[in-house]
Amino acid sequence: MWRLRRAAVACEVCQSLVKHSSGIKGSLPLQKLHLVSRSIYHSHHPTLKLQRPQLRTSFQQFSSLTNLPLRKLKFSPIKYGYQPRRNFWPARLATRLLKLRYLILGSAVGGGYTAKKTFDQWKDMIPDLSEYKWIVPDIVWEIDEYIDFEKIRKALPNSEDLVKLAPDFDKIVESLNLLKDFFTSGSPGETAFRATDHGSESDKHFRKLKYQRILERLEKENKELRKLVLQKDDKGIHHRKLKKSLIDMYSEVLDVLSDYDASYNTQDHLPRVVVVGDQSAGKTSVLEMIAQARIFPRGSGEMMTRSPVKVTLSEGPHHVALFKDSSREFDLTKEEDLAALRHEIELRMRKNVKEGCTVSPETISLNVKGPGLQRMVLVDLPGVINTVTSGMAPDTKETIFSISKAYMQNPNAIILCIQDGSVDAERSIVTDLVSQMDPHGRRTIFVLTKVDLAEKNVASPSRIQQIIEGKLFPMKALGYFAVVTGKGNSSESIEAIREYEEEFFQNSKLLKTSMLKAHQVTTRNLSLAVSDCFWKMVRESVEQQADSFKATRFNLETEWKNNYPRLRELDRNELFEKAKNEILDEVISLSQVTPKHWEEILQQSLWERVSTHVIENIYLPAAQTMNSGTFNTTVDIKLKQWTDKQLPNKAVEVAWETLQEEFSRFMTEPKGKEHDDIFDKLKEAVKEESIKRHKWNDFAEDSLRVIQHNALEDRSISDKQQWDAAIYFMEEALQARLKDTENAIENMVGPDWKKRWLYWKNRTQEQCVHNETKNELEKMLKCNEEHPAYLASDEITTVRKNLESRGVEVDPSLIKDTWHQVYRRHFLKTALNHCNLCRRGFYYYQRHFVDSELECNDVVLFWRIQRMLAITANTLRQQLTNTEVRRLEKNVKEVLEDFAEDSEKKIKLLTGKRVQLAEDLKKVREIQEKLDAFIEALHQEK
């Protein structure tokens, strides 16, 4: 059918060419067409009779493509009927080829014409939309002016970069050819790692090594490709949000559990790989080979692992390590970063070890990422020792055993038992410990290290095989592995150790003689096996642990609702933030204290501090003088000395104590129903620490000294109101001193007759002597009311003899002590009487006491003191409100920030059942949420 359609189309084309040809005049019949056209198409016409064309010379033939004359065709005669073809097969082949060429040419011309005609018809059918151009917004036609398409094109990744992401197909084809040669060279189903292979041992070993090398090369290429893809993602070429890996999520769960209260016994139920072994057995080296970096401190024969180290291995584009509580990344490809990491681990271990101890149970959390790392969580424990050496704590051996048992007794923990192959198996300690924790060997993997030394030193290689198979130990294990972790040189790189390990096992008799199987050697196979076992254990146990946390959370929530139904569940950090805000609000309240209140308390506190000095050292000595000139001179000298040496310092101390008292008052003042006594210890600690850190401005005393000196030099009382205020101030001061003196005398002589009769009190013998002495001295004062302040020696003798005549034996010192109090009372009473007389003396003061016997210099003295107190209080108030309150607020903020970073301080200051219950509830919720997220991600990965 397709031939008939092609023929019809060709006929139409030929007819059209004949009709429109420029070189042929007139119309030609069908029989006059070109012979080739007739032979190809018209042979299939049913009514066509082939006839030999008549040659005509009436017109000249021309081509439609050129003006040159064409040659006249000479046709061979056509014979009809059956003709033998065996002698003309080249001609028949050429004819068929010519037919094929014209068939293709005709089809192309016809198809192009038909396609153009169809396109013109469709174009005519589409309506003209130019009239509706106004509907489209102008911004669509001008969009190229607002968007730089050239810039967008340049920002897209180059085709060369995309090609780099594609795998190297040449290498893959080469590897497949090698695999093909390998599998075709042997019998079908032949495997390199089967112990039941037939053939010679050398052929088996050769095939094993060959297959191993092929796998290693493929894995290396796969690792490079994965690293390249991860690096491209890390640089942001593929702008996608990378999800947190499964191992990182699981490690976060373990980190939260490490801080959780161990009394719930939930921390030990989640799987992790516990690395145990005798000291210097090579367990740290095995862990470094798995992590592919020398990350741990090293020492020859010295205990280096002093606390457990949790290492989380995960895959990443760069080989880096970082601690849980730090953002610094250590580049494990650089030697200086490796040295810094080892030093940091050693510092953290020594920090965890308390004084007087050798090891610590506190865990150091470390994350290691890198291309090709197997995902798992390992815990490196201190090496088990048999004898405590010098320099160790006496309980070091027991502590290491308890730490190891605490990790191994977890029913889901995978025990990686490391045994030194270079020493006698009978000297092993860790195997007995492991067999006690896992007697059936369901979660134990045995690793024999230093196999190269063992092969050299052991006379019988079969003994190594017995160790690997667990026949020399009472313990059982899931698997047995033999590894080599170097030549004993600490400066060896991981790559050099790996090459040495592979070279050793390739030439080892243990592998050649099939004592060891290929999958039981090298740390690479060990890491694969441990990772598979770890994830199998995780999948089997994680959901059960999540259910147990749900039950624990329900119990804690029920306990909280029953005990604290109206309180929010605030943990220790949230409570600290709440207390912090309250403390800062209370500090701000200091700035709202009125100036009047500040000045009143400052003036009162300062007078209480200096009143004794003013009365005893200034007023009383000056009042003993005979005239006003001497009184004023004495007062001026003593005030000057006091101002230069003591007064400014006393004033600053009073101001600082006043600030402390006000701060304490705001901190401890109950807030009614809103007061929470759980913050009392924290507030007290913040107050004490802030006060300890606060120091008054050193320049305050110098400026205050000048102000006080100027205030005390002023003697001019301007009005009667100030005069009355000074008299009132003087009376209060003297009355207070008189009251103190009366109390001192009463304590000296005992109760009077009224108290003795009403309260049944009696005097002691000493009080009776004091009382007789007091009566004798009072008689002397009545005789001479202007007696000086001190007794003469003859007066003391007279008093003693008078008392002895009445049968009272007294000492001269007792007479002096009694006289001091008696005279003091007499003087104060006289001064109060004089103060009362000076109430109307302001008029004489204005006239400088001219023509008057009244002298009120003591009133002027107390006015000067009172004015100095007021000016000092005002100055201190300004310094408090402008400077010291703000500095105290700053100190409080610094103290709170320091406390916020000190978890031990917060645990000490925020205590109680309520706090602990909220802490446990928060931890359980956090663990449950992380476990649920981990389980969901685990199911998605499946």
Side-chain angles (χ1 to χ4, degrees):
M1 293 300 295
W2 66 273
R3 290 182 178 179
L4 291 176
R5 287 195 294 269
R6 293 288 186 181
V9 172
C11 291
E12 294 178 0
V13 173
C14 293
Q15 291 177 3
S16 62
L17 290 175
V18 171
K19 291 179 180 180
H20 299 87
S21 176
S22 60
I24 302 177
K25 299 179 180 179
S27 61
L28 294 176
L30 182 63
Q31 292 80 3
K32 298 179 182 180
L33 292 177
H34 199 279
L35 177 63
V36 177
S37 177
R38 288 204 328 270
S39 64
I40 295 175
Y41 299 104
H42 302 289
S43 60
H44 300 281
H45 198 277
T47 59
L48 180 65
K49 293 182 180 180
L50 296 177
Q51 296 179 2
R52 184 172 179 175
Q54 302 283 333
L55 293 178
R56 296 174 183 263
T57 59
S58 60
F59 62 90
Q60 189 178 0
Q61 296 180 347
F62 295 92
S63 171
S64 62
L65 301 178
T66 181
N67 293 326
L68 296 177
L70 298 174
R71 291 183 182 181
K72 293 184 179 181
L73 298 176
K74 295 181 179 181
F75 300 101
S76 59
I78 301 176
K79 297 180 180 181
Y80 303 95
Y82 174 77
Q83 296 292 335
R85 299 180 180 179
R86 57 188 176 184
N87 296 327
F88 303 100
W89 62 269
R92 290 196 301 272
L93 179 60
T95 303
R96 292 180 182 276
L97 291 177
L98 289 175
K99 287 183 180 181
L100 180 62
R101 181 183 63 181
Y102 283 100
L103 177 63
I104 294 174
L105 178 62
S107 300
V109 173
Y113 175 77
T114 305
K116 183 178 182 303
K117 186 175 181 180
T118 304
F119 175 74
D120 293 338
Q121 292 176 357
W122 287 359
K123 186 176 179 181
D124 295 338
M125 293 171 61
I126 297 175
D128 188 8
L129 300 178
S130 60
E131 298 179 358
Y132 304 96
K133 185 178 180 181
W134 59 272
I135 298 177
V136 182
D138 295 338
I139 191 173
V140 175
W141 311 107
E142 301 173 357
I143 192 170
D144 56 342
E145 299 179 3
Y146 299 97
I147 301 177
D148 191 352
F149 291 99
E150 184 65 23
K151 186 176 181 180
I152 295 176
R153 186 185 65 80
K154 293 180 179 179
L156 293 176
N158 195 0
S159 59
E160 297 179 357
D161 296 336
L162 295 177
V163 169
K164 291 180 181 178
L165 296 176
D168 191 347
F169 292 101
D170 296 337
K171 293 184 178 180
I172 294 176
V173 171
E174 182 182 354
S175 301
L176 291 176
N177 291 334
L178 290 174
L179 285 175
K180 180 179 178 181
D181 296 340
F182 169 73
F183 285 113
T184 54
S185 61
S187 59
E190 193 173 25
T191 308
F193 290 114
R194 295 189 177 276
T196 58
D197 289 344
H198 301 287
S200 63
E201 297 294 335
S202 60
D203 294 340
K204 290 181 182 179
H205 179 64
F206 175 75
R207 287 194 296 271
K208 290 178 183 178
L209 294 180
K210 182 179 179 181
Y211 185 47
Q212 187 80 5
R213 290 177 180 175
I214 293 172
L215 289 178
E216 288 176 357
R217 186 172 63 180
L218 291 175
E219 288 177 355
K220 187 175 181 180
E221 293 176 358
N222 184 32
K223 177 180 176 181
E224 293 176 354
L225 290 173
R226 286 178 62 86
K227 181 177 180 181
L228 180 62
V229 172
L230 290 172
Q231 286 178 345
K232 294 292 184 181
D233 290 341
D234 190 52
K235 293 179 180 178
I237 292 180
H238 306 287
H239 297 283
R240 65 187 183 192
K241 185 177 180 181
L242 298 178
K243 294 183 178 179
K244 191 175 294 184
S245 64
L246 273 178
I247 192 63
D248 291 335
M249 297 171 66
Y250 186 75
S251 179
E252 288 182 359
V253 175
L254 295 182
D255 290 337
V256 176
L257 278 172
S258 64
D259 300 331
Y260 183 59
D261 188 4
S263 61
Y264 289 98
N265 293 325
T266 53
Q267 177 183 358
D268 295 333
H269 289 174
L270 286 175
R272 75 265 286 156
V273 181
V274 180
V275 185
V276 295
D278 298 332
Q279 183 179 353
S280 301
K283 57 182 181 54
T284 301
S285 300
V286 171
L287 189 55
E288 288 180 336
M289 290 293 293
I290 295 176
Q292 300 181 13
R294 308 298 290 268
I295 59 178
F296 290 103
R298 312 188 68 82
S300 57
E302 181 183 358
M303 177 182 291
M304 300 305 297
T305 307
R306 297 180 177 270
S307 64
V309 181
K310 181 176 77 68
V311 182
T312 302
L313 300 180
S314 59
E315 193 171 16
H318 307 289
H319 203 185
V320 296
L322 66 158
F323 293 97
K324 179 187 72 172
D325 55 352
S326 175
S327 59
R328 178 186 177 184
E329 285 191 352
F330 297 87
D331 190 351
L332 302 184
T333 60
K334 298 179 180 179
E335 187 57 38
E336 55 271 16
D337 279 19
L338 280 172
L341 176 61
R342 291 192 289 265
H343 181 65
E344 180 67 20
I345 293 176
E346 186 175 2
L347 289 179
R348 288 174 179 256
M349 286 183 180
R350 296 188 181 277
K351 182 180 179 181
N352 290 343
V353 176
K354 298 180 180 179
E355 186 176 357
C357 300
T358 306
V359 294
S360 170
E362 297 184 18
T363 305
I364 299 173
S365 182
L366 180 67
N367 293 340
V368 178
K369 298 181 180 181
L373 293 182
Q374 299 299 320
R375 304 176 302 166
M376 61 183 123
V377 177
L378 303 102
V379 182
D380 186 21
L381 299 180
V384 179
I385 60 175
N386 190 20
T387 305
V388 177
T389 59
S390 60
M392 293 185 179
D395 61 342
T396 301
K397 180 179 178 180
E398 290 76 13
T399 304
I400 294 176
F401 268 83
S402 63
I403 294 173
S404 302
K405 289 181 178 180
Y407 278 91
M408 287 192 294
Q409 68 185 2
N410 176 5
N412 296 321
I414 301 168
I415 303 174
L416 195 63
C417 181
I418 309 298
Q419 171 64 34
D420 189 351
S422 63
V423 300
D424 296 335
E426 292 77 10
R427 295 168 55 185
S428 176
I429 308 172
V430 70
T431 52
D432 294 335
L433 182 61
V434 172
S435 61
Q436 294 175 9
M437 296 292 103
D438 185 23
H440 301 289
R442 295 174 181 173
R443 51 189 180 90
T444 301
I445 296 177
F446 181 82
V447 181
L448 186 67
T449 61
K450 306 178 183 179
V451 182
D452 52 342
L453 300 178
E455 189 177 26
K456 293 179 182 178
N457 300 333
V458 177
S460 176
S462 61
R463 183 175 176 84
I464 300 177
Q465 183 181 9
Q466 292 177 355
I467 296 175
I468 291 296
E469 294 176 355
K471 296 180 180 180
L472 293 182
F473 298 107
M475 60 170 288
K476 300 179 181 179
L478 280 174
Y480 299 86
F481 289 86
V483 299
V484 175
T485 56
K487 301 178 182 179
N489 186 5
S490 60
S491 61
E492 286 181 293
S493 64
I494 295 296
E495 192 64 29
I497 297 175
R498 189 183 298 277
E499 292 176 358
Y500 172 71
E501 182 184 40
E502 294 176 356
E503 182 182 358
F504 168 77
F505 282 115
Q506 289 175 4
N507 302 321
S508 175
K509 297 179 181 178
L510 300 174
L511 204 61
K512 291 181 179 180
T513 57
S514 298
M515 292 184 182
L516 295 178
K517 298 180 181 179
H519 67 273
Q520 290 183 303
V521 298
T522 71
T523 52
R524 185 182 61 82
N525 291 333
L526 171 64
S527 62
L528 291 172
V530 174
S531 178
D532 292 341
C533 186
F534 169 76
W535 284 107
K536 180 181 178 183
M537 191 73 75
V538 168
R539 292 185 177 93
E540 292 175 354
S541 61
V542 68
E543 293 186 359
Q544 180 181 358
Q545 297 304 311
D547 294 337
S548 67
F549 275 105
K550 290 180 182 178
T552 305
R553 174 179 177 177
F554 176 78
N555 296 336
L556 293 175
E557 289 178 346
T558 304
E559 185 178 358
W560 182 272
K561 292 178 182 179
N562 293 333
N563 293 317
Y564 311 102
R566 298 184 179 181
L567 295 177
R568 290 192 300 125
E569 301 166 0
L570 300 179
D571 61 0
R572 186 170 281 109
N573 292 329
E574 293 171 340
L575 286 173
F576 181 83
E577 290 299 323
K578 183 179 179 181
K580 177 181 177 181
N581 294 331
E582 289 187 7
I583 293 171
L584 293 177
D585 292 340
E586 290 162 357
V587 174
I588 294 176
S589 300
L590 283 175
S591 60
Q592 300 176 358
V593 178
T594 61
K596 182 179 178 181
H597 179 72
W598 278 120
E599 293 182 9
E600 287 178 356
I601 58 178
L602 285 170
Q603 187 171 348
Q604 181 180 356
S605 301
L606 183 57
W607 172 244
E608 290 176 358
R609 180 65 62 86
V610 302
S611 60
T612 301
H613 182 83
V614 171
I615 299 297
E616 301 294 337
N617 298 332
I618 298 176
Y619 174 64
L620 289 179
Q624 304 300 322
T625 59
M626 301 304 295
N627 52 57
S628 61
T630 308
F631 177 86
N632 292 330
T633 302
T634 305
V635 166
D636 290 342
I637 294 173
K638 290 187 175 295
L639 287 177
K640 180 68 168 61
Q641 294 175 352
W642 182 45
T643 304
D644 292 340
K645 296 181 180 179
Q646 300 180 11
L647 183 56
N649 187 23
K650 293 290 184 182
V652 171
E653 289 180 0
V654 167
W656 176 220
E657 291 175 1
T658 303
L659 180 61
Q660 294 181 33
E661 291 174 0
E662 289 297 306
F663 179 52
S664 301
R665 181 173 66 85
F666 281 107
M667 293 281 287
T668 58
E669 189 177 27
K671 306 297 186 298
K673 294 183 179 180
E674 297 180 358
H675 178 70
D676 197 345
D677 56 358
I678 202 171
F679 300 142
D680 292 344
K681 292 176 65 176
L682 176 61
K683 290 182 178 180
E684 185 66 23
V686 171
K687 183 193 72 174
E688 293 179 357
E689 184 65 24
S690 302
I691 291 173
K692 187 187 299 183
R693 295 186 183 184
H694 186 80
K695 293 182 179 180
W696 203 272
N697 193 352
D698 297 334
F699 302 102
E701 292 187 11
D702 298 333
S703 60
L704 193 60
R705 182 178 292 107
V706 177
I707 295 172
Q708 290 171 342
H709 182 71
N710 295 332
L712 289 173
E713 284 185 348
D714 189 6
R715 296 186 181 89
S716 58
I717 303 175
S718 59
D719 53 15
K720 182 68 166 58
Q721 185 179 0
Q722 294 182 5
W723 181 268
D724 293 339
I727 291 175
Y728 179 75
F729 176 63
M730 179 179 176
E731 284 180 346
E732 281 189 342
L734 295 178
Q735 286 175 358
R737 292 296 162 181
L738 180 60
K739 185 178 179 180
D740 293 341
T741 304
E742 292 285 357
N743 293 332
I745 292 174
E746 184 179 355
N747 293 331
M748 184 183 294
V749 301
D752 56 3
W753 64 271
K754 184 178 180 180
K755 290 183 179 180
R756 290 199 305 268
W757 282 99
L758 293 177
Y759 301 106
W760 296 86
K761 293 183 178 180
N762 295 322
R763 290 173 177 171
T764 62
Q765 183 65 30
E766 184 180 359
Q767 289 175 344
C768 291
V769 174
H770 277 290
N771 184 52
E772 293 294 335
T773 307
K774 178 183 73 74
N775 294 333
E776 189 67 26
L777 293 174
E778 285 178 349
K779 292 177 183 180
M780 184 183 298
L781 276 176
K782 286 181 180 180
C783 297
N784 184 11
E785 292 185 356
E786 295 182 358
H787 195 285
Y790 300 98
L791 287 173
S793 58
D794 56 345
E795 291 176 336
I796 295 174
T797 303
T798 302
V799 173
R800 183 169 60 84
K801 289 182 178 181
N802 291 338
L803 292 174
E804 288 178 354
S805 65
R806 294 199 299 267
V808 180
E809 296 289 338
V810 294
D811 188 77
S813 61
L814 187 144
I815 296 174
K816 292 180 181 180
D817 293 339
T818 308
W819 167 256
H820 177 72
Q821 298 297 335
V822 171
Y823 181 80
R824 183 185 181 87
R825 181 176 63 179
H826 169 73
F827 175 80
L828 292 174
K829 287 181 178 180
T830 305
L832 284 172
N833 293 331
H834 180 72
C835 184
N836 191 25
L837 293 174
C838 288
R839 288 184 182 277
R840 59 182 183 275
F842 180 68
Y843 172 75
Y844 299 102
Y845 165 75
Q846 289 180 329
R847 298 180 61 183
H848 303 287
F849 300 103
V850 178
D851 299 333
S852 175
E853 296 180 357
L854 182 64
E855 293 182 356
C856 298
N857 295 311
D858 49 357
V859 177
V860 177
L861 170 62
F862 278 91
W863 178 82
R864 294 165 68 183
I865 297 295
Q866 186 182 31
R867 186 168 182 272
M868 181 274 299
L869 293 175
I871 294 176
T872 302
N874 181 269
T875 304
L876 293 175
R877 188 265 308 168
Q878 293 180 9
Q879 188 172 0
L880 280 173
T881 56
N882 296 335
T883 306
E884 301 303 329
V885 171
R886 296 179 182 177
R887 292 179 62 230
L888 179 62
E889 181 180 356
K890 181 180 178 181
N891 290 337
V892 171
K893 290 181 179 179
E894 292 178 355
V895 171
L896 289 172
E897 290 176 358
D898 293 343
F899 283 7
E901 297 176 357
D902 192 348
S903 57
E904 294 182 358
K905 183 76 71 175
K906 288 191 289 187
I907 293 174
K908 181 180 179 181
L909 298 176
L910 294 173
T911 58
K913 180 181 178 181
R914 168 184 158 193
V915 181
Q916 192 60 43
L917 184 60
E919 281 285 308
D920 295 338
L921 191 54
K922 178 189 176 184
K923 288 292 184 183
V924 170
R925 284 175 177 168
E926 185 179 1
I927 294 169
Q928 183 187 351
E929 291 173 359
K930 290 185 178 295
L931 273 177
D932 292 342
F934 173 74
I935 293 172
E936 182 180 358
L938 194 63
H939 290 326
Q940 290 177 357
E941 188 182 66
K942 288 183 180 180

